[in-house]
Amino acid sequence: MIRITAKEAAEKLLKQDNIFVLMHRSPDGDTIGCGYALCMALQQIGKKARPLCADEIPQSYEYFTNGVEMQEFDAEYIVTVDVADRRLLGDLEMLYGDKVDLCIDHHGSNREFAEYGVIAADAPACAQIMPEVIEGMGAKITMQIADALFTGLTTDTGCFRYTGVTAQTHRTASYLIEKGARSGMINRLMFETKPKRQVMLEKLAMESLQYFCGEQVALICITTEMMQKSGALDHDAESIPSIPRQIEGVKVAVTVKQKADDYFRISLRTTDEIDASEICRALGGGGHRAAAGCSYHGTLKDAVDTIVRLSSEAVENAV
Amino acid sequence: MIRITAKEAAEKLLKQDNIFVLMHRSPDGDTIGCGYALCMALQQIGKKARPLCADEIPQSYEYFTNGVEMQEFDAEYIVTVDVADRRLLGDLEMLYGDKVDLCIDHHGSNREFAEYGVIAADAPACAQIMPEVIEGMGAKITMQIADALFTGLTTDTGCFRYTGVTAQTHRTASYLIEKGARSGMINRLMFETKPKRQVMLEKLAMESLQYFCGEQVALICITTEMMQKSGALDHDAESIPSIPRQIEGVKVAVTVKQKADDYFRISLRTTDEIDASEICRALGGGGHRAAAGCSYHGTLKDAVDTIVRLSSEAVENAV
C-alpha cells in the first residue's frame, strides 16, 4: 500500500467516478459518519457514490444518512473508511476485499490491504481526517456532512473523553459546529438515550462482572443467552466495555462477547501503562494501545482463562 | 454593577495587588479551576494572590491546586469566579459579600453583587473566559494553568456533552491542550473513575429497576441494605438517577433512596412535557421542571405506590 496524504486522496477521488464507499461490519458512528459524509460530498460535486456495509445501518443515524441519495451503478472505484483490515468488511470482503483502491483510516494497525492509503494513526477518529479530504475535493461541508462527521468524532472519542483526543480533535469539533453540526442533539442521542433492551443487557452483563489480579483486571461477559433474554441488538452491547473500564484501580478492562457457541470476540481497554494491542496480538488480534480486540475459538471458560492470564501477565510486567 | 470585558478586567487586575480570589461554596471543577488558575497567573506576574472557598477543596484537584503558593497578606482587592450570587459564597459572604470588586462569571442569572463584572452568559463554563483575562494581564498559560482551566471547561460541560457547548468551547479546549493541559488524564479522573463499591451499588440498584404506566415511568430503589452490602458512601449514589433517565421512552425517572427504616428521599427526572416539581409538590417537595425531589415517611411499598401513582397521573394528563 502506498501511503498518501488526505490532500492527495482528494485529488485521486476527483479523477474518479462511480465510487463505492465501504464501511466496516458492525458499523459504528465513525465508519457510518465518514462513509455517508464522503458519499454526500462526492454526490455534491456531481459524482455517483454509494455507501455500503455488510450489516444494517441503525436507524438512529437517520438525521444524516438521509442526506445520501441511493444511486444504482456499477463500481469503478472502491474506497474504505475506518476499516483497519479487509476482514472487517464482513460479507463485502469476498466481493471487494482485493479491489480496494483507497483506504482512509486512523488505525496504526492498518493491514495495508488497499492500493493507496491515508492512515492518520494520531487521529482518535477517522472523522478527524475527513474535512481535509472533502474540502480537498472542492466540496462544501454542509450541515448534514458536519452532523455526520461530528457523530464520528464524538462517538469514537466517547464524547471527547478518551486519551487519544488531541488539540486537533477539538479544533475539528469546533470547525464542524461552525459548519452547522448539531452537537448538543447528537451527543444526547448518542450518549444519553438507551433502549430498554440495552439497559436490560447492561444489568445482565454487570452481574457477570469479575475481578482478577488483585482487582487490576476486571472482566465482563456478554453471552448469546443474555442477548436473547434482553432482546438486545448487536450495537446495544457497545456501551458494555466502558463498565469495567471506569472502575478505580482497574488497569485492564476485558469484555468477552459470545458470537456463537464456541466463538468469542474479546475487547480490551487499558490504562496508560498497559498496551492493549500487544495483549490482543498474542491471540491474533490488534488495535490501539488503549483499546484493542481479538477473537477466540473455544469454550467461554477457556476464553476467559486465556485473556485473564495474558492480561494479568501484562499487569505484572508493567509494574 | 458595571459590565466590562475580559480585557478590561485584565487591565484592572494589573493595577491591583494583594488579591483574594473567592470561589463558590460546595466548589466544583469550574470554580476551583478558575480560582486557582487566576491565582497562579497573578503570582506569576509578581502579585500576591490567594484562593478562598467556604468549603474544603477536594483532594482530587491536587494536580493543579498545588501550583498555587499559599501566601499570607491582607486583602486589598476581591475577585469572585463562577459565583452567580453573593449567597453562594457560603461562610465567606459575611466577610466579603459586599466588598467584591470584580466578578468573573458565566451565569446569565448573575445577581450583580460586585462593582465590576465580566459576565459571559454564552459560555458554558467560566473557564472559557479565563484565558483572555490571564493573557490580557501578560501572564502565560502554563501547563498547570491549562490543567486548571481544562478541568473547569470539561466538568461544567459534562465533558463537552451539554447543549451549551459551542464552537468556542472546543476552540478553548484545543488551545488549552496546546498549552499542555493533560485532557485524557483529567477526563479520566473527573468522569471515568468509579470506586468498586459504586459499581457494586449500581449493579444492585439496576436489579431493582421497574417500569410502570406503559414503560413511561421507570423506578429504581436504593435501600440501606444495598448501601451496606456495597459499602457505598452517600455521594456514590449520585450516579444512580441517570440510569432510569437515559431509557428511551421513559418520561418520568424515579429514584427512591431509603434514608431510614420508614423514611425515603425521592428524586425525579422528567422529559420536557412533564413538570417534575409539580409532582413533587404534592408530597411537600419541589425543584426544577426537569429535576425535583421530595421526602416520604412510611413503608417502601407505600413510597413506591404513591410516587408511581402521581407520576403516572402526570404522564396521562400530559398526553
Side-chain angles (χ1 to χ4, degrees), chain A residues 270-301:
Chain A
T270 55
T271 50
D272 286 348
E273 63 266 54
I274 317 265
D275 188 343
S277 69
E278 201 183 301
I279 300 174
C280 289
R281 219 171 295 135
L283 293 173
H288 306 279
R289 188 175 168 86
C294 57
S295 300
Y296 192 89
H297 286 274
T299 65
L300 175 60
K301 187 181 176 306

Side-chain angles (χ1 to χ4, degrees), chain A residues 158-169:
Chain A
C159 202
F160 307 96
R161 186 173 294 188
Y162 302 157
T163 45
V165 170
T166 64
Q168 181 58 43
T169 315

Side-chain angles (χ1 to χ4, degrees), chain A residues 89-123:
Chain A
L89 293 170
D91 289 346
L92 297 177
E93 190 195 353
M94 224 173 55
L95 290 165
Y96 307 109
D98 57 356
K99 296 190 184 70
V100 179
D101 298 292
L102 173 64
C103 165
I104 306 175
D105 188 28
H106 70 117
H107 296 89
S109 60
N110 187 285
R111 299 296 288 265
E112 314 220 330
F113 54 89
E115 193 182 350
Y116 291 94
V118 184
I119 315 295
D122 58 339

Side-chain angles (χ1 to χ4, degrees), chain A residues 12 35 40 52 66 68 98 101 114 134 159 172 208 210 217 219 230 234 238 244 266 269 314-315:
Chain A
K12 286 204 176 295
M40 282 187 262
L52 267 94
N66 65 16
V68 172
D98 57 356
D101 298 292
I134 288 171
C159 202
T172 304
S208 79
Q210 284 178 279
V217 175
L219 181 137
S230 61
D234 241 15
E238 279 170 24
I266 298 173
R269 300 284 183 277
V315 167

Side-chain angles (χ1 to χ4, degrees), chain B residues 256-272:
Chain B
V256 176
K257 185 164 190 288
Q258 188 171 33
K259 305 295 278 185
D261 267 359
D262 57 354
Y263 179 52
F264 300 88
R265 274 296 299 170
I266 297 173
S267 96
L268 254 68
R269 300 283 184 277
T270 53
T271 50
D272 287 348

Side-chain angles (χ1 to χ4, degrees), chain A residues 102-158:
Chain A
L102 173 64
C103 165
I104 306 175
D105 188 28
H106 70 117
H107 296 89
S109 60
N110 187 285
R111 299 296 288 265
E112 314 220 330
F113 54 89
E115 193 182 350
Y116 291 94
V118 184
I119 315 295
D122 58 339
C126 192
Q128 188 171 310
I129 326 169
M130 298 305 293
E132 213 184 325
V133 177
I134 288 171
E135 296 187 320
M137 301 191 303
K140 283 207 163 52
I141 309 252
T142 60
M143 219 187 85
Q144 261 185 321
I145 292 178
D147 275 349
L149 295 181
F150 189 89
T151 301
L153 205 60
T154 194
T155 52
D156 242 33
T157 59

